[in-house]
Amino acid sequence: MGYRILETEDVADYLRERGHWGTDEPEVREVSDGNMNRVFLATSADGTRGLAVKQALPWVRVAGPSWPMSPERADAEARAYEQVAKVAPDKIPAIHGYDAENYALVMEDMSDLEVLRTVLNEGASYGPDTSARIGEFVAQLSFATSDFGMSSADRKALIATSVSPELCKITEDVVLSEPYIEHEHNHWHPELADLAAEFRADARLRTEVADLRHVFMTSGQALLHGDLHTGSVMVGVREGAPVVRVFDPEFSFVGPIGFDLGLYWANTLVSQARADALGTATDHGDQLRLSWEAFESEFRRLWPTRVDTFFDDAYLDRFLARLWTESLGFAGTEIIRRIIGFAHLTDLTTLPDPVPASRRALLLGRELVIRRAELTGPGDVRAVIEALA
Ligand code: SR1
Ligand code: MG
């Protein structure tokens, strides 16, 4: 039948055709939220059953047909979920099926959970589990899909099947170059124009970003989520226990592990900037440390299971130190692009006065990029934040 773009009124029949729904009529609503795709929720009349349908469009959803984009990104997302399901099934939604012809995933309805960014913007704290689960998630996925967790031959096959040029190019552009040049995608609050110009003129900053960009383009350490910001995490409580689910891995590819950690860190640091501006900060400033510690401890826990013991314990220390430094640099680029690049963050844009917090965040981003090699632990990052306050 070929690829057809689903509308709300098509979803019930679509689910029935695919064997996911019975004869009763679900209530269907579109709940698209991210920049790229459409998401529908189908709920039974009595509210006891629900499914989500996520479909990739042949363009970037928020831009429309003027920014074409292959829907094959949904293949990357389905492949990533398959890999995570092997090592961290408790940290992703249940996937009920992938329809490669229509680039559509049918998955668990998570409407009882909330997007982490949303709850943070509403004034909630992270709580004790969220960042620890994210750190574990990155460790479990990255260890399993690295040369420590897979044979060399299996890794080469994974790299080949995970190539995702269009989505990588988005990141190479919107995160790792456009904010530092004149580009039509870039925009900023008028009172940040001086800093945007200063960043474009900063040769040292540009060279450091070029270095990180090249790491992003060439380092195939492990399968990444690829877009691990706080809008890619759902949180809530089920049966009295905290639940954390990572979703939307459509930017997944085999790349530098620090990109996943760095994106998460950047978004926690921006959430801290918002909470500081509103005087509501609680545990926000601790999330980088908590996620790093959970990542490191899970990675070290898995280390004795590595398939290639030529990589010795001393190499692990070196590997983790380099990873920490790269993560900080990527965190810096993510903060910067979210303020003077294409896709901004509601954490800052919905502040009564976004300017002071955005200025501090931009300066923090630049410090993380430029000084990443001399910041040796979470305490050093905290000191930079305090110095900018
Ligand atoms: C055109 S896409 C812009 C951003 O949205 C996605 O969520 C990624 O973060 C990407 O960089
Ligand atoms: Mg997304």
Side-chain angles (χ1 to χ4, degrees), residues 170-183:
I170 290 184
T171 303
E172 290 156 19
D173 291 346
V174 304
V175 184
L176 296 166
S177 62
E178 287 173 6
Y180 309 92
I181 57 174
E182 302 268 4
H183 196 284

Side-chain angles (χ1 to χ4, degrees), residues 298-368:
E298 182 64 4
F299 211 92
R300 286 188 184 280
R301 189 186 72 77
L302 292 166
W303 185 250
T305 69
R306 65 196 180 282
V307 296
D308 184 344
T309 51
F310 189 81
F311 296 114
D312 58 15
D313 292 350
Y315 179 70
L316 173 62
D317 293 340
R318 182 186 297 200
F319 175 83
L320 290 173
R322 199 180 287 152
L323 177 50
W324 158 265
T325 304
E326 287 179 359
S327 305
L328 277 191
F330 286 125
T333 62
E334 167 72 356
I335 294 175
I336 293 168
R337 73 98 171 203
R338 293 295 194 177
I339 302 172
I340 58 173
F342 173 70
H344 292 196
L345 297 179
T346 51
D347 313 43
L348 295 173
T349 58
T350 62
L351 281 172
D353 179 3
V355 174
S358 300
R359 293 187 80 84
R360 274 196 298 276
L362 276 174
L363 296 174
L364 172 62
R366 181 165 67 181
E367 291 290 282
L368 295 182

Side-chain angles (χ1 to χ4, degrees), residues 86-246:
K86 293 181 199 166
V87 289
D90 55 324
K91 297 186 181 71
I92 52 171
I95 305 299
H96 298 293
Y98 177 56
D99 169 8
E101 191 173 8
N102 287 297
Y103 304 104
L105 274 162
V106 177
M107 51 205 270
E108 175 185 350
D109 168 11
M110 297 192 290
S111 53
D112 58 322
L113 308 178
E114 285 188 277
V115 174
L116 176 57
R117 188 187 310 288
T118 307
V119 301
L120 294 171
N121 281 353
E122 287 166 356
S125 55
Y126 282 78
D129 290 297
T130 307
S131 291
R133 292 295 88 74
I134 298 299
E136 281 168 17
F137 168 86
V138 177
Q140 288 162 350
L141 176 60
S142 64
F143 186 92
T145 57
S146 71
D147 280 300
F148 313 129
M150 294 177 103
S151 73
S152 175
D154 286 349
R155 272 264 307 163
K156 302 301 180 286
L158 176 73
I159 292 168
T161 54
S162 305
V163 169
S164 182
E166 270 192 306
L167 279 276
C168 283
K169 185 73 169 78
I170 290 184
T171 303
E172 290 156 19
D173 291 346
V174 304
V175 184
L176 296 166
S177 62
E178 287 173 6
Y180 309 92
I181 57 174
E182 302 268 4
H183 196 284
E184 62 184 5
H185 284 159
N186 296 334
H187 60 106
W188 48 76
H189 189 288
E191 290 175 49
L192 300 174
D194 59 327
L195 275 183
E198 194 178 308
F199 279 33
R200 285 197 305 276
D202 187 334
R204 186 170 166 218
L205 177 62
R206 185 184 170 132
T207 305
E208 293 303 333
V209 173
D211 186 32
L212 290 160
R213 188 171 192 256
H214 204 213
V215 170
F216 180 86
M217 292 165 123
T218 57
S219 167
Q221 288 177 331
L223 192 71
L224 309 186
H225 176 283
D227 196 24
L228 189 49
H229 54 77
T230 50
S232 298
V233 179
M234 306 280 292
V235 292
V237 175
R238 284 181 178 165
E239 295 168 4
V243 170
V244 178
R245 294 279 185 275
V246 176

